[in-house]
Amino acid sequence: MVTHNSNSSHTPSSMAAHQPLAERLRPRTLAEVIGQQHVLGEGMPLRLAFESGRPHSCILWGPPGVGKTTIARLMADAFDAQFISISAVLGGVKDIREAVEQAQIARDGLMQQRTIVFVDEVHRFNKSQQDAFLPHVESGLFTFIGATTENPSFEVNSALLSRAAVYVLQSLTTEDLKQIVVKAQAIKAVPAIEDEALERLIAYADGDARRLLNTLETLAITAEQAKVATITDAWLLKVLGERMRRYDKGGEQFYDTISALHKSVRGSDPDAALYWFCRMLDGGADPRYLARRIVRMAWEDIGLADPRAMQMCNDAAATYERLGSPEGELALAQAVIYLAVAPKSNAGYMAYNKAKAFVKSDTTRPVPLHLRNAPTKLMKQLDYGKDYRYAHSEEGGFAAGESYLPDGMEEPGFYQPVPRGLEIKIGQKLAELRALNAAAREPAGGESTEE
């Protein structure tokens, strides 16, 4: 679907009261944009692009409701360009052709106007649809701006991606969202809101300005009909119902619940883990967030005791991405059950933390000569790589007695396998290798080196 504006001029003020709140509060200048200062602040990349006077194709990557469309419209304003918007959800090649025709008319007309083609949800276009933009981007017929909530590295063709700068946008902060509420109240679009109700609204919005504005608009209409002067927490729950009462993203209850899920998995209780998982889904938690936490649990609490757990969790996350809700949630649920019944080990997790702490507090020890690479003649003359023993050429594929730590550093013992799952065998293997090392390092004849 194509929407076309000869420029980004705004609706007359007489109609403003009939516009949706999101449109009434849409920023008209860069200075009015709330959030995204890491790319729009003074001296930041996207700000410099605006100030350069030369539009360039780009991809705006970020979660919903963070200003992707707004930034694209402001870019059209900044360059006095024709703004053509295409929805990749509803559109197709026909819409791309229409955009090309409109861009040609604008370029060849008396005003010789630039064109910006904005494609919302660009990741929804297939390869051939994305390819249709390439010749026109290369020829300079129009500037291409794509908006996506998905990683463009995976969802946007490499040819198109190579011709566009990628700007990563972030979820709005609590303070950003509060500023939006203040702006809505400044134009008398929203009544007064008690602090507790405001905190709940901000948590529900979850960094999404569009969700916040739509909710505020619903509240404003309902409050006017009910003649409510101040929105309280109790009234808010009454009007918006169960979804608002349950959803507490970012609040204490949310983090308590994810903690209960994690501890149930760690405690090997599949029923409890499944219960807390379903509680979070029922409360409105983003399944993608849960997928990330489930993958983390596999690495932190199961580890090498059952390496299949990591693969199952990654597969479950990929399944959810393919199927979405509610079908994909079954894969995540079964991953939770698997983690709960799997053997547990935090040995890898603890070893990593110990190694990090050691390196942070230790000096920078030089790499031993025998472990250094020697790609040049000079390096070989300096004994780089000298006396290195190639493990594959040794008996059993193990260079017994060889040291791989910096000179003078004692064996730190970071990794201590637990006697559960696959780590039972890993522990036995490491014990055998240590015994071989000890025997190889023992002086000939078993004589002591001490006087």
Side-chain angles (χ1 to χ4, degrees), residues 198-233:
L198 180 60
E199 293 299 326
R200 190 180 298 277
L201 273 171
I202 298 301
Y204 175 70
D206 191 25
D208 184 335
R210 188 183 301 115
R211 176 187 284 183
L212 175 65
L213 289 166
N214 290 342
T215 305
L216 287 173
E217 192 158 32
T218 299
L219 291 174
I221 293 170
T222 309
E224 184 178 4
Q225 293 171 343
K227 295 183 169 43
V228 170
T230 301
I231 295 174
T232 64
D233 194 47

Side-chain angles (χ1 to χ4, degrees), residues 263-286:
K263 288 180 172 65
S264 298
V265 165
R266 185 180 295 148
S268 299
D269 189 331
D271 287 343
L274 200 55
Y275 167 77
W276 292 116
F277 173 75
C278 291
R279 271 279 301 271
M280 296 205 72
L281 286 178
D282 187 57
D286 183 353

Side-chain angles (χ1 to χ4, degrees), residues 20 40 91 117 153 202 220 306 339 357 380 412 417 423 449:
L40 289 176
V117 175
S153 299
I202 298 301
D306 186 352
L339 293 183
K380 290 175 183 175
E423 283 198 312
T449 56

